[in-house]
Amino acid sequence: MAKPRKMLGRAQDPAIQALMRQMDTQSAHTLAAWAIACARARYLPLFEAACPGDARPRDALDAAQAAQSGARTLREAKAAAREANACAKAPLSPAGEAAARACAVAASALWNPASALGMVFYGAAASVYAAHGADLPAQDCDREAQREFAWLLDSLRAASVPDEPNPAKIRWNC
């Protein structure tokens, strides 16, 4: 059995290109809020099913959301995101590991808007592995990931601010 990929999707995929174009039109604040909301709704439950009792990904999302509103410091949010990422290195199912990483990078979108794209890649892996297992052939994983990308694009469009006056200046390094 081949080792499952940590993330699904490629920057050259048309669905990912569409997500990147939409992200380029939005502020860092909007991207962070969207990434945190998506991770909380979609990937946190997958992690908590795989690793009940480990609150680090939830804590990271809570800390990032609180920092965005000014209730916590950015330093606290960064520390919580590091902890969430560390839990992905523990022995977990492929879905649990990808979900932990999706939550950690979603939280880090607060200070690095490009991390919202990382949430997309890890989130797709978490979703596909949770629904179909990690033994699914690569071609089938990619097909299922496209469905997740479509959902994510729809949710980003719904969260987007029309004619955003202050879009983030994202340097895509992928």
Side-chain angles (χ1 to χ4, degrees):
M1 174 175 74
K3 186 175 178 181
R5 293 179 285 173
K6 291 184 186 216
M7 57 177 77
L8 297 179
R10 292 169 186 78
Q12 301 79 15
D13 290 344
I16 297 298
Q17 289 289 310
L19 274 157
M20 291 165 71
R21 281 191 303 274
Q22 187 67 28
M23 287 177 185
D24 281 336
T25 70
Q26 296 304 299
S27 70
H29 180 86
T30 299
L31 290 174
W34 169 75
I36 292 165
C38 283
R40 186 180 304 281
R42 223 132 153 116
Y43 311 124
L44 182 60
L46 299 178
F47 174 80
E48 290 177 337
C51 197
D54 190 337
R56 292 177 287 179
R58 179 178 292 279
D59 291 345
L61 295 171
D62 290 346
Q65 193 167 22
Q68 192 170 37
S69 70
R72 291 185 69 181
T73 66
L74 190 57
R75 185 178 190 166
E76 291 171 310
K78 286 181 177 184
R82 279 191 301 276
E83 286 297 315
N85 194 49
C87 77
K89 296 174 183 168
L92 293 172
S93 68
E97 179 183 331
R101 291 183 193 284
C103 291
V105 297
S108 70
L110 181 61
W111 57 89
N112 179 10
S115 291
L117 187 61
M119 185 268 306
V120 168
F121 291 133
Y122 287 122
S127 179
V128 170
Y129 296 157
H132 303 284
D135 295 337
L136 198 63
Q139 182 178 352
D140 295 333
C141 279
D142 291 339
R143 184 187 66 246
E144 293 301 318
Q146 293 300 317
R147 291 187 178 124
E148 189 69 10
F149 300 149
W151 181 87
L152 287 160
L153 180 58
D154 287 344
S155 72
L156 177 58
R157 285 178 175 150
S160 291
V161 175
D163 300 317
E164 168 62 54
N166 196 16
K169 292 172 179 46
I170 301 173
R171 296 189 69 199
W172 298 111
N173 295 321
C174 49

